[in-house]
């Protein structure tokens, strides 16, 4: 399979947060009022691993879909930059029946394709028969309207060749990044595990034709210092933004028409405590989306083992912030793109 991997052409400089700049002059800066807890007074998400932008409403409110890796999908509205409201997306009886045999409803990426109006969800397989559940699924909303609050059908996409699609998929290790441009799907494997079952320093991004679902090439990250892909977003044809969770990096790739890498940009991200930017916590960034080509949003899927800071930091935080950590409330980050 490795003979399909194209040569990598890297022509850029390393991005250093927050002042780095690439060969095209792109910079990202933490936005005022962020990061914030992904909650309001009555509602918060749980283990959010996917985020996609839907639209900006007439009053300026941003509307998103969120996916939690405990089998939940939510609608998020952000009004006046800081006011959050949520609603849960319901599943029809047909969808619940379809999902009933899954060992875990391990939802990862969610993506709205603005070219077609379709919404896609990636699910990681778990258990002994994990390959039966790994996949990219198209969501059909009630009345074929993405702004309805119920999903009435799931359709699994059948990518070929299957031996490439399923290569390196393991229990709880699957496609955590997924996005599309006008002509291609991009599938980001979380990681290529070592033979001992540990995380390696590399992974792959598989690229498939949108019409035929045929995987046309695979990009290895072995030589570009990206170890994980936990979220992808395409802002234009042959262009990818993504999250390397394990390295706490955002990356931006530009391909030529043959899918050689023409430009690579890396932004190191500091995961700081909301309202206490002098303190950092152990982040687990897994969601990425872009709004109006101006704002980059990331969401942290709390890693329970490390998410709560040590007492020497907790002692400096107010009670509400401490409780948010102990309740594993996700954190949403926002950056301005210049």
């Amino acid at each position: 399979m490795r003979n399909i991997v194209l040569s990598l052409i890297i022509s850029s400089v390393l991005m250093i947060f927050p002042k780095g700049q690439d060969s095209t002059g792109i910079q990202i800066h933490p936005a005022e009022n962020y990061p914030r807890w992904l909650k309001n007074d009555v509602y918060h998400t749980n283990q959010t691993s996917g985020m996609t932008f839907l639209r900006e409403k007439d009053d300026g409110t941003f509307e998103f879909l969120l996916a939690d890796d405990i089998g939940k999908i939510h609608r998020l509205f952000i009004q006046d930059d800081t006011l959050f409201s949520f609603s849960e997306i319901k599943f029809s009886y047909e969808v619940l029946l379809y999902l009933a045999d899954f060992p875990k409803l391990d939802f990862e990426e969610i993506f709205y394709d603005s070219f077609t109006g379709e919404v896609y969800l990636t699910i990681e397989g778990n258990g002994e028969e994990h390959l039966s559940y790994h996949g990219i699924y198209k969501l059909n909303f009630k009345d074929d309207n993405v702004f309805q609050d119920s999903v009435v059908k799931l359709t699994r996409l059948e990518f070929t060749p299957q031996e490439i699609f399923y290569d390196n998929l393991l229990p709880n290790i699957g496609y955590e990044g997924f996005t599309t441009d006008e002509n291609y799907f991009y599938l980001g494997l979380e990681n290529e595990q070592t033979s001992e079952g540990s995380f390696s320093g590399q992974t792959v991004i598989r690229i498939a034709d949108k019409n035929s679902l045929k995987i046309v090439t695979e990009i290895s990250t072995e030589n570009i210092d990206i170890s994980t892909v936990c979220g992808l977003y395409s802002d234009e044809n042959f262009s990818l933004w993504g999250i390397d969770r394990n390295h706490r990096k955002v990356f931006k790739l530009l391909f030529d028409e043959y899918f050689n890498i023409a430009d690579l940009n890396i932004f190191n991200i500091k995961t700081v405590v909301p309202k206490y930017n002098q303190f950092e916590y152990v982040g687990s960034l897994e969601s990425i989306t872009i709004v109006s080509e101006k704002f980059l949003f990331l969401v942290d899927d709390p890693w329970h083992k490390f998410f709560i800071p040590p007492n020497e930091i907790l002692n400096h935080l107010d009670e509400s912030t401490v409780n948010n950590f102990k309740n594993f409330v996700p954190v949403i980050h926002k950056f301005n793109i210049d």
Side-chain angles (χ1 to χ4, degrees), residues 32-224:
E32 188 178 6
N33 302 318
Y34 283 79
R36 304 183 72 82
W37 298 101
L38 194 56
K39 61 176 290 188
N40 58 25
D41 292 339
V42 296
Y43 196 108
H44 73 79
T45 64
N46 189 342
Q47 297 294 295
T48 297
S49 55
M51 181 182 195
T52 189
F53 176 66
L54 291 180
R55 63 177 176 177
E56 181 176 357
K57 300 176 74 173
D58 292 340
D59 64 356
T61 297
F62 294 158
E63 182 174 354
F64 305 84
L65 291 175
L66 306 174
D68 292 358
D69 68 12
I70 57 166
K72 299 287 187 181
I73 299 176
H74 316 267
R75 200 176 297 278
L76 165 67
F77 301 94
I78 301 180
Q79 184 177 10
D80 298 329
D81 194 40
T82 60
L83 299 177
F84 297 168
S85 58
F86 304 86
S87 61
E88 183 179 342
I89 304 297
K90 304 297 183 181
F91 298 142
S92 69
Y93 175 78
E94 178 184 347
V95 172
L96 292 174
L97 191 63
Y98 183 90
L99 295 172
D101 292 335
F102 280 59
K104 180 187 176 185
L105 297 184
D106 196 350
F107 298 174
E108 293 295 343
E109 180 80 281
I110 191 167
F111 182 74
Y112 172 66
D113 182 353
S114 61
F115 294 104
T116 65
E118 306 286 2
V119 175
Y120 298 96
L121 177 73
T122 74
I123 303 179
E124 281 186 342
N126 288 265
E128 293 183 1
E129 303 297 325
H130 62 95
L131 292 182
S132 298
Y133 306 103
H134 280 291
I136 315 298
Y137 297 80
K138 185 173 73 171
L139 304 182
N140 288 96
F141 285 76
K142 182 181 178 181
D143 300 328
D144 289 323
N145 183 353
V146 70
F147 302 108
Q148 290 274 11
D149 275 346
S150 61
V151 172
V152 297
K153 186 178 180 181
L154 284 182
T155 304
R156 186 177 181 176
L157 304 188
E158 299 297 332
F159 289 91
T160 60
Q162 289 191 353
E163 61 268 25
I164 296 177
F165 179 81
Y166 287 109
D167 190 41
N168 297 116
L169 300 188
L170 298 169
N172 201 38
I173 299 291
Y175 293 111
E176 294 205 358
F178 181 81
T179 190
T180 89
D181 64 16
E182 196 169 1
N183 302 301
Y184 295 97
F185 289 122
Y186 299 86
L187 296 76
L189 180 68
E190 179 182 2
N191 183 255
E192 286 188 317
Q193 300 278 276
T194 68
S195 58
E196 295 79 22
S198 301
F199 275 79
S200 74
Q202 65 190 63
T203 187
V204 293
I205 298 172
R206 292 170 179 145
I207 303 172
D209 180 89
K210 283 178 76 170
N211 293 319
S212 67
L213 300 185
K214 181 180 179 180
I215 297 172
V216 297
T217 193
E218 176 181 88
I219 306 298
S220 172
T221 68
E222 180 178 5
N223 297 318
I224 55 177

